[in-house]
Amino acid sequence: MKRIADEKVLVLDFGSQYAQLIARRVRDQQVYCEIVRHDISADRVRQLAPMGLILSGGPASVYADGAPKCDTDLFRLGIPVLGICYGMQLACQALGAEINSAPRREYGRAECRVIAAEGLLEGVSKRTDVWMSHGDQVMSVSADFEPLAETATCPIAAVKYRHAAIYGLQFHPEVTHTPEGPRILGNFVARICGCSRTWRLDDFARQTIDEVRQRVAGRRVICGLSGGVDSAVVAALLAEAVGARLSCILVDNGLLRKGEAERVIKEFSDHFKTDLHVVRAEDRFLAALAGVVNPQEKRRRVGHTFIECFADEAAKIDGADLLAQGTLYPDVIESGGLADGPAATIKLHHNVGGLPEDLDFTLIEPLRDLFKDEVRRLGTQLGLPDEIVWRHPFPGPGLAVRCLGEVTRPRLETLREADAIVIEEIKRAALYRQTSQAFVVLLPVQTVGVMGDARTYEDVVALRCIDTEDFMTADWSRLPYDLLAKISTRIINEVSGVNRVVYDISSKPPATIEWE
């Protein structure tokens, strides 16, 4: 594993929807944090030498057959442990406590009363709001445990094992609904684990630049540009590391947003002044996607076609055998690419999940340890303009996964025009920076409508706007009704073939941000 921090905390993932959020919140405490699989061995943990371990929540019951377990030797390593929800129940069960179904399930906000305001709960209000999400709980503990907090329905909401630095929280300190959660996590990493809290993104940038410079060692590296912030930050970092030995390739796949290719060409010609190669490949991508409706297959085909086009162009660049990509940490996790073991694949990213086995490039992924908001901060540190840094995220497969059903040129044009209207109106309302991501999805259904005196049977588009800090959890944006009305009217009036606009009010989880 790449050494990017002398001090780190590991999160053992037991299938929690919040595992990534735990890691992100620990990083907010200026301590580097990584996610590993739940059954990582104690020997491997000893090798990694973390300052602390956090056991995540999870959907299972610890007493059920097949429930995910951890290596119980972890509790004998002398490394501080914090169990959250399922993780608390697992740790307490391993140390002799009784876990059963609670008399009453507890989901949502609860008032927690602190019994022992020291150590883990140092500085926490005696009565504080917490976020609960559990059906099981620790029912009883022996004298080996010290209860630290309780709620009206959960008598052991926080606990400490008296013989080692092992703690448990039945509530979730990582979510914003637990307002004093950052203080609790800060207490764990600083007071209990002894972390100096010195991890900084600028340290990461300097170290990564040095590592890339050493790895390239006079060779030429190629970076694929997509118009998104991830590839732009990679290009800026590489430009700092290798200078003139960087060549950038933009594959215009016909799946970009309206005017995107032109903007990228201008930005990376004028601002970066890079050796920029543009591949016009719309026909090639549309041929690869013809008749395909399965989202995973779309991602695979876009990924393979991208690499083929990229390789063809790269072959024209003398001495190029290193390929840089904007893979982020959530991409790695959601694609089942965790270090130290597999994870459940949520979706395939063309960066990490769709590469052919005969790839002729050695990959460089300098951002694969970072979350999206960290990448934006890094981009600002590297001097990128706000227009690039704050551009809304765009999926690797582009509009192919926003065009539900078959991808065709006419359907892409419909989607592109509707999407451009949304972005234009949100910017005009000065809400672009406040909205984390906004886009249109073209649905594979048609509905009845009336225009003038005539009946229509035309396409439906869905508007998706979300607010988030980290893109791991998200809520739908409460855009003003007048703005939504204006967007709907413009799309129906100006985009031929659309007679209905709907608004997606799903949160993540349970939904994802993209529809495919």
Side-chain angles (χ1 to χ4, degrees):
M1 175 163 45
K2 186 174 75 171
R3 183 186 178 193
I4 66 172
D6 292 327
E7 297 180 343
K8 58 178 169 287
V9 169
L10 300 181
V11 175
L12 277 65
D13 184 8
F14 291 89
S16 171
Q17 61 183 343
Y18 299 131
Q20 294 185 43
L21 193 54
I22 297 170
R24 186 62 196 87
R25 294 296 180 247
V26 172
R27 293 189 188 188
D28 282 341
Q29 298 298 323
Q30 298 172 341
V31 175
Y32 183 69
C33 187
E34 285 188 350
I35 300 173
V36 296
R37 58 183 290 166
H38 67 274
D39 57 354
I40 184 172
S41 70
D43 286 341
R44 178 59 176 149
V45 169
R46 190 181 291 109
Q47 293 171 6
L48 296 174
M51 299 289 287
L53 301 175
I54 298 179
L55 312 184
S56 83
S61 294
V62 296
Y63 50 78
D65 291 340
K69 304 289 185 180
C70 65
D71 185 342
T72 55
D73 284 344
L74 293 176
F75 303 120
R76 290 184 280 273
L77 292 177
I79 299 172
V81 176
L82 173 63
I84 296 175
C85 198
Y86 179 91
M88 167 184 171
Q89 297 162 19
L90 189 68
C92 289
Q93 182 191 55
L95 296 170
E98 178 187 355
I99 317 296
N100 278 311
S101 178
R104 194 175 80 185
R105 294 184 177 184
E106 197 170 20
Y107 294 99
R109 285 185 177 87
E111 184 181 73
C112 183
R113 186 175 74 86
V114 175
I115 300 171
E118 58 186 37
L120 184 65
L121 301 181
E122 181 79 29
V124 176
S125 304
K126 187 172 183 179
R127 293 186 180 275
T128 185
D129 288 338
V130 298
W131 185 260
M132 291 287 196
S133 180
H134 67 99
D136 298 334
Q137 64 187 38
V138 178
M139 302 302 293
S140 65
V141 293
S142 68
D144 293 329
F145 294 88
E146 177 188 358
L148 303 178
E150 64 184 6
T151 71
T153 59
C154 184
I156 307 176
V159 70
K160 178 187 185 300
Y161 188 59
R162 296 183 188 274
H163 310 297
I166 300 174
Y167 295 80
L169 296 172
Q170 186 57 67
F171 57 87
H172 290 270
E174 71 274 19
V175 302
T176 56
H177 304 301
T178 301
E180 295 192 82
R183 181 184 296 276
I184 296 171
L185 289 174
N187 285 339
F188 178 69
V189 299
R191 295 177 181 274
I192 296 168
C193 298
C195 295
S196 57
R197 300 164 86 165
T198 57
W199 186 71
R200 302 287 189 277
L201 266 181
D202 52 355
D203 295 334
F204 170 87
R206 285 194 298 270
Q207 181 178 351
T208 303
I209 287 170
D210 289 342
E211 289 177 351
V212 169
R213 188 175 291 133
Q214 293 173 13
R215 185 174 180 185
V216 171
R219 298 149 72 188
R220 178 165 291 275
V221 59
I222 298 176
C223 178
L225 295 176
S226 66
V229 62
D230 304 338
S231 63
V233 172
V234 168
L237 192 148
L238 288 169
E240 179 73 20
V242 303
R245 295 195 299 280
L246 170 66
S247 294
C248 294
I249 296 177
L250 169 64
V251 177
D252 184 0
N253 55 15
L255 304 173
L256 301 178
R257 291 169 285 199
K258 185 176 182 178
E260 192 83 74
E262 292 74 16
R263 283 193 293 269
V264 172
I265 292 169
K266 184 177 188 304
E267 288 166 358
F268 286 89
S269 297
D270 297 346
H271 182 79
F272 288 105
K273 302 186 186 303
T274 58
D275 175 32
L276 178 61
H277 300 246
V278 180
V279 181
R280 305 292 182 180
E282 179 180 11
D283 292 342
R284 191 167 175 177
F285 277 83
L286 288 177
L289 290 167
V292 178
V293 297
N294 180 277
Q296 297 293 69
E297 184 61 22
K298 285 182 183 179
R299 290 178 178 273
R300 287 190 184 93
R301 294 197 182 198
V302 169
H304 281 278
T305 307
F306 169 79
I307 290 298
E308 290 169 359
C309 294
F310 199 96
D312 290 345
E313 186 64 27
K316 305 173 185 177
I317 302 173
D318 291 339
D321 62 351
L322 298 172
L323 169 61
Q325 293 193 132
T327 306
L328 305 189
Y329 200 38
D331 298 340
V332 175
I333 295 168
E334 293 183 349
S335 299
L338 271 181
D340 297 305
T345 299
I346 297 173
K347 58 187 176 181
L348 288 178
H349 297 263
H350 79 270
N351 303 45
V352 293
L355 299 177
E357 294 181 359
D358 59 349
L359 179 67
D360 291 329
F361 297 100
T362 299
L363 285 179
I364 297 178
E365 296 175 314
L367 307 182
R368 68 179 285 123
D369 295 307
L370 299 185
F371 292 102
K372 174 68 76 173
D373 58 320
E374 293 173 322
V375 171
R376 291 193 190 281
R377 286 160 48 201
L378 179 59
T380 299
Q381 291 178 11
L382 291 169
L384 288 171
D386 285 350
E387 183 181 354
I388 295 177
V389 171
W390 291 102
R391 184 172 294 159
H392 283 186
F394 192 58
L399 296 181
V401 292
R402 294 179 179 174
C403 185
L404 275 60
E406 185 176 5
V407 180
T408 65
R409 200 184 309 270
R411 297 192 77 221
L412 285 171
E413 189 59 28
T414 297
L415 177 56
R416 195 174 282 116
E417 291 298 323
D419 187 79
I421 289 172
V422 171
I423 299 303
E424 180 181 329
E425 290 299 334
I426 289 178
K427 286 183 175 179
R428 186 173 293 169
L431 292 174
Y432 187 77
R433 284 280 294 268
Q434 287 78 7
T435 305
S436 304
Q437 194 168 0
F439 58 91
V440 167
V441 177
L442 179 60
L443 306 185
V445 296
Q446 293 186 316
T447 63
V448 174
V450 176
M451 290 187 178
D453 294 323
R455 176 183 182 275
T456 63
Y457 193 61
E458 295 181 331
D459 291 329
V460 182
V461 298
L463 173 59
R464 178 70 158 151
C465 300
I466 58 102
D467 297 331
T468 180
E469 294 181 359
D470 45 43
F471 293 87
M472 294 170 288
T473 61
D475 198 7
W476 58 280
S477 302
R478 272 62 169 179
L479 295 182
Y481 289 157
D482 289 346
L483 175 58
L484 292 173
K486 187 173 185 179
I487 289 171
S488 176
T489 299
R490 281 198 60 192
I491 290 175
I492 291 173
N493 287 343
E494 298 176 27
V495 182
S496 178
V498 175
N499 69 357
R500 192 177 301 270
V501 177
V502 299
Y503 194 42
D504 183 350
I505 59 171
S506 310
S507 62
K508 175 189 179 182
T512 54
I513 294 175
E514 298 289 342
W515 280 44
E516 288 191 339

